Amino acid sequence: RWADLRGLRSPEGGVGQVTVVFVTGHDIWGSGFSPMRRIMLHLATRGHRVVLLTHRKDADPSTDRYGAPTESLHPNMIVHRFPLVGDRVLLPRATRIPVLGSLYVRFRSEVLLPLALYREFFRRHLDRDADLIYGYEIFGALPAYWIARRLGKPLVLRFQGTLLYPVLRRAQDSLLGKALLLRWWIHMRALRLPAALKIMTNDGTRGDWVLERLGNTSPYVFWYNGIDILRGRRLAEAERDVLRSTLGIPPRQKVMVSASRLENWKRVDRIIAALPAVVSKVPDVHYYIIGSGEMESVLRAQAGRLGVQGHISFVGTVEHERVFTFLAAADVFVSAYDISNVGNPLMEAMVCGAPIVTLDVGDTRHVITDGVDGYLLAPDDVGGMADRVVDLLSNEGRRQAFREAGFAKAAQLFWSWDERLEAEEVRLRELVSDWDTWTSPRSGGQRAREWGF
């Protein structure tokens, strides 16, 4: 179906349309718009051929949050999904036993999945047309490396951030920290792999520091994700009462918002813990929790124990446009993640004009300046969080100042999704165009040898 695209050249004389094979444990879902989904769709709409190789998610609990995976995104895209051994029989049974389930899930992700991805790539003859191998995230990195090395093709490794910064810092300070590194071996192995290009998302988790600490010698870029800046600005300038009416929010209600998957390290529990003190000062406050996940039942129980369940709405997973509307309608956006808070929700809150209260962890302070465009707090300062939220809810002038300063900084720091995706496409095309030169005997193949090819 793609024969007519082979061998095309761009007007500049470089490689035109190419075939990019994504090797990953991730998938494209019926809802949500992840960075992986964005880059695949961008490449497909630009005429490139996109192949996704991943495993089926029949037994994956994340389908409850995201819906069933979509079959494709574009006519220029083909999706290959395969069943992972044990998912139908072993996985449901093992996860009923906490310790055994945890061990099995690790074995499944760190051993079964990489081996299966490598086997399925060649079993399905994806090597026939592949121009570039794209390993997406930790569990796609190792099989992508094996495949690229066997084929002699350029390899791109993409990471959405990293959990390793606090792990490596603890290892510097104690013998116990060094011993615990064994638990993270697959993460460290993935980030150490040689590649023609590594794309590390600048989400505040200090991925650049981690790469350097692990002795990375491969070329890498350290980029923020893109942001829909124009959409955020348009909503920020709209009548807030109109926005609230579309969401069913009373016009005079004081609105707190957070947006994240409800996972343990996102620490929505910190925000709920601060809510009783906020309610005592601002009785008409209401906290809208956008997102769903494994911690929802725990968070609902916490709200009940604290007697604030009437001031909380669990909105669940919603379309991206609706998330923006909530952010633009908010009086305060709160984020209390453990490792970093510089994810897309916080950046989108800035472009939507939502005053921010967040934690001073990771590289968050490189984006938020305390008292200028948001409030920064120590991780366990629940009382301080309540005080800062009350201050913003009670002071329209400060909210407006934070809105204006936040948007000005966002416009300076971040780029649009179009800019971000265009930059990545250019780099991918350059890799394919230059790869023969990098690996040729005439040039000595020096660059390729440096990266293990």
Side-chain angles (χ1 to χ4, degrees):
R1 64 187 278 193
W2 288 336
D4 58 321
L5 294 178
R6 295 299 296 167
L8 293 181
R9 298 282 163 175
S10 67
E12 296 81 9
V15 171
Q17 282 73 14
V18 300
T19 299
V20 181
V21 183
F22 285 75
V23 178
T24 180
H26 288 236
D27 212 327
I28 45 175
W29 301 91
S31 61
F33 212 66
S34 70
M36 186 182 83
R37 180 182 178 123
R38 285 183 182 268
I39 185 58
M40 288 193 300
L41 182 58
H42 174 84
L43 292 173
T45 56
R46 295 295 294 268
H48 302 288
R49 291 163 296 169
V50 176
V51 180
L52 171 63
L53 177 65
T54 189
H55 68 293
R56 289 171 56 179
K57 306 298 189 292
D58 296 344
D60 195 321
S62 59
T63 56
D64 296 336
R65 301 199 298 270
Y66 299 120
T70 59
E71 290 305 310
S72 183
L73 295 175
H74 190 275
N76 284 346
M77 181 176 183
I78 289 180
V79 178
H80 293 276
R81 296 187 180 94
F82 58 89
L84 198 57
V85 173
D87 270 11
R88 286 190 176 275
V89 178
L90 294 178
L91 184 61
R93 288 169 171 77
T95 51
R96 294 173 189 165
I97 308 172
V99 176
L100 178 60
S102 177
L103 291 174
Y104 179 76
V105 168
R106 289 202 65 180
F107 175 75
R108 173 180 176 268
S109 300
E110 298 177 10
V111 179
L112 289 182
L113 179 59
L115 291 174
L117 285 166
Y118 180 80
R119 181 199 63 189
E120 291 293 327
F121 181 92
F122 292 101
R123 192 177 76 83
R124 295 168 187 262
H125 306 294
L126 301 183
D127 54 312
R128 292 177 178 173
D129 291 322
D131 294 310
L132 183 145
I133 309 301
Y134 195 121
Y136 195 93
E137 266 298 343
I138 297 299
F139 302 121
L142 191 56
Y145 171 73
W146 292 335
I147 291 165
R149 185 166 184 174
R150 175 171 168 179
L151 296 180
K153 298 291 185 179
L155 170 67
V156 171
L157 296 179
R158 166 68 181 275
F159 305 102
Q160 297 179 155
T162 177
L163 301 175
L164 288 180
Y165 176 76
V167 176
L168 295 175
R169 289 301 300 267
R170 283 195 297 269
Q172 287 180 323
D173 300 332
S174 71
L175 291 176
L176 177 60
K178 289 180 174 63
L180 291 176
L181 286 178
L182 183 62
R183 179 175 180 268
W184 298 92
W185 76 271
I186 190 69
H187 291 251
M188 293 190 293
R189 175 64 173 148
L191 267 63
R192 281 178 169 143
L193 288 171
L197 177 67
K198 292 179 182 176
I199 302 173
M200 173 65 75
T201 300
N202 183 359
D203 66 344
T205 55
R206 300 183 180 178
D208 56 342
W209 183 92
V210 170
L211 286 174
E212 299 295 337
R213 179 71 181 173
L214 293 176
N216 172 69
T217 58
S218 301
Y220 75 89
V221 292
F222 189 52
W223 288 340
Y224 288 113
N225 278 329
I227 299 293
D228 291 324
I229 296 175
L230 294 180
R231 177 195 291 180
R233 190 58 174 174
R234 172 174 53 82
L235 289 169
E237 293 174 347
E239 288 290 337
R240 298 178 72 246
D241 286 349
V242 174
L243 297 177
R244 291 185 172 203
S245 68
T246 66
L247 300 171
I249 298 175
R252 297 186 182 278
Q253 192 176 76
K254 298 296 185 183
V255 175
M256 293 171 57
V257 170
S258 68
S260 71
R261 295 189 305 277
L262 302 186
E263 298 178 357
N264 186 51
W265 73 278
K266 304 289 187 175
R267 297 305 303 269
V268 173
D269 63 296
R270 286 179 172 138
I271 306 172
I272 294 176
L275 195 56
V278 176
V279 171
S280 69
K281 301 287 182 63
V282 187
D284 58 344
V285 68
H286 200 88
Y287 174 30
Y288 293 86
I289 301 175
I290 303 171
S292 56
E294 60 192 22
M295 293 296 294
E296 182 170 337
S297 61
V298 175
L299 297 172
R300 286 182 180 273
Q302 179 190 14
R305 289 195 306 272
L306 296 176
V308 292
Q309 65 270 32
H311 293 268
I312 295 178
S313 291
F314 287 85
V315 179
T317 302
V318 300
E319 294 297 324
H320 204 218
E321 177 72 34
R322 196 165 175 83
V323 174
F324 267 69
T325 305
F326 268 103
L327 295 175
D331 293 302
V332 180
F333 172 83
V334 189
S335 182
Y337 298 0
D338 267 337
I339 300 172
S340 167
N341 290 277
V342 189
N344 269 51
L346 182 138
M347 296 191 292
E348 289 166 354
M350 292 175 71
V351 301
C352 288
I356 292 170
V357 175
T358 189
L359 303 185
D360 187 8
V361 292
D363 282 340
T364 307
R365 62 170 53 202
H366 293 173
V367 175
I368 300 296
T369 302
D370 185 41
V372 176
D373 43 37
Y375 280 132
L376 289 177
L377 298 159
D380 296 318
D381 190 1
V382 173
M385 180 180 291
D387 291 341
R388 298 301 189 276
V389 169
V390 169
D391 176 73
L392 284 171
L393 294 177
S394 306
N395 191 327
E396 172 59 31
R398 200 179 322 276
R399 291 202 301 272
Q400 187 59 33
F402 279 16
R403 286 190 188 104
E404 294 174 358
F407 182 82
K409 182 178 285 186
Q412 179 183 14
L413 286 180
F414 310 139
W415 47 7
S416 71
W417 271 115
D418 286 343
E419 294 169 327
R420 167 65 182 78
L421 297 172
E422 178 69 21
E424 182 166 343
E425 182 196 358
V426 168
R427 295 300 292 265
L428 300 187
R429 287 171 55 146
E430 288 175 349
L431 286 179
V432 175
S433 178
D434 295 343
W435 190 245
D436 289 342
T437 302
W438 293 355
T439 57
S440 69
R442 184 180 305 171
S443 67
Q446 180 62 31
R447 296 177 72 177
R449 283 203 305 274
E450 289 174 358
W451 306 327
F453 288 91

